[in-house]
Amino acid sequence: MSVLQVPTRNQVSTGNQAIFDNLEKGLGFVPNLYATFAYSDTALADYLALQNRKSSLKAKEREVINLVVSQVNDCAYCLAAHTALGKMNGFNDDQILELRGGSASFDTKLDALAKFVKDTTIQRGKPAQANVDAFLNAGYTKANLVDTLIVIGDKIISNFLHGIGQFPVDFPAAVALETANA
């Protein structure tokens, strides 16, 4: 059962209504995650600003982070959304499953990123030095490291909102890793 019912356009502030209208124009719908942020008069705009900020990371790298963090946090909503976005960013189904597991045998740089992100998330911000070194030795910079942490934080926020809210997933469900590996 959903703890937070997804608010409709008429149930949110005027400012959030304008954001709903823009999302509807751009995406064709208002994702339930975004709508749920609209319980707060400011959280939706703040969250979208965080997601759309300039970054030293490429979109594909951000999707690696989103997939890994969402898998660690077992967030069905974000796994579904980022499986779709991962495909839009050029990953195939097998690569997405591998990324969710925290590795990328198909790309050494993305492998270092996935391992760093998984360790950082599991260890609550205290990854093994070997994973930090591998991240930097793969060609990532200190700016990339900071931007990686920003994306990890962004994803944790949405994972937690869905974890508490339990609102419906409005993207095609992501296959469970256990099912994929069976």
Side-chain angles (χ1 to χ4, degrees):
M1 177 167 163
S2 178
V3 172
L4 294 172
Q5 300 299 315
V6 178
T8 65
R9 185 183 183 283
N10 293 334
Q11 294 173 313
V12 302
S13 70
T14 307
N16 282 333
Q17 287 177 0
I19 296 171
F20 275 32
D21 293 344
N22 287 334
L23 288 167
E24 186 76 41
K25 283 181 205 166
L27 300 175
F29 74 112
V30 178
N32 288 340
L33 176 76
Y34 291 161
T36 304
F37 273 110
Y39 272 107
S40 164
D41 288 346
T42 58
L44 178 58
D46 292 345
Y47 187 72
L48 290 171
L50 178 63
Q51 282 201 313
N52 294 316
R53 67 179 279 281
K54 289 186 180 194
S55 176
S56 63
L57 299 170
K58 297 176 178 113
K60 203 167 191 173
E61 292 166 324
R62 291 191 303 270
E63 284 313 310
V64 169
I65 299 164
N66 291 328
L67 287 162
V68 172
V69 174
S70 296
Q71 184 65 52
V72 168
N73 290 324
D74 194 27
C75 180
Y77 191 96
C78 294
L79 285 170
H82 290 289
T83 293
L85 290 168
K87 289 177 186 178
M88 290 171 54
N89 277 283
F91 292 119
N92 66 39
D93 290 334
D94 290 337
Q95 290 170 332
I96 289 170
L97 289 171
E98 186 178 352
L99 288 167
R100 286 173 49 197
S103 64
S105 63
F106 56 90
D107 184 301
T108 56
K109 190 172 182 181
L110 293 180
D111 189 57
L113 174 63
K115 288 176 177 163
F116 170 75
V117 169
K118 183 176 181 179
D119 192 30
T120 299
T121 305
I122 290 171
Q123 298 303 322
R124 299 182 308 181
K126 297 175 183 132
Q129 188 61 48
N131 284 321
V132 176
D133 293 343
F135 175 85
L136 294 170
N137 290 335
Y140 288 106
T141 66
K142 290 177 183 173
N144 297 142
L145 187 138
V146 171
D147 284 336
T148 296
L149 296 175
I150 293 288
V151 178
I152 290 171
D154 158 357
K155 199 47 42 205
I156 288 172
I157 293 167
S158 60
N159 292 170
F160 283 15
L161 183 61
H162 185 261
I164 292 168
Q166 292 299 305
F167 43 85
V169 176
D170 49 2
F171 290 90
V175 70
L177 280 187
E178 302 82 40
T179 304
N181 293 329

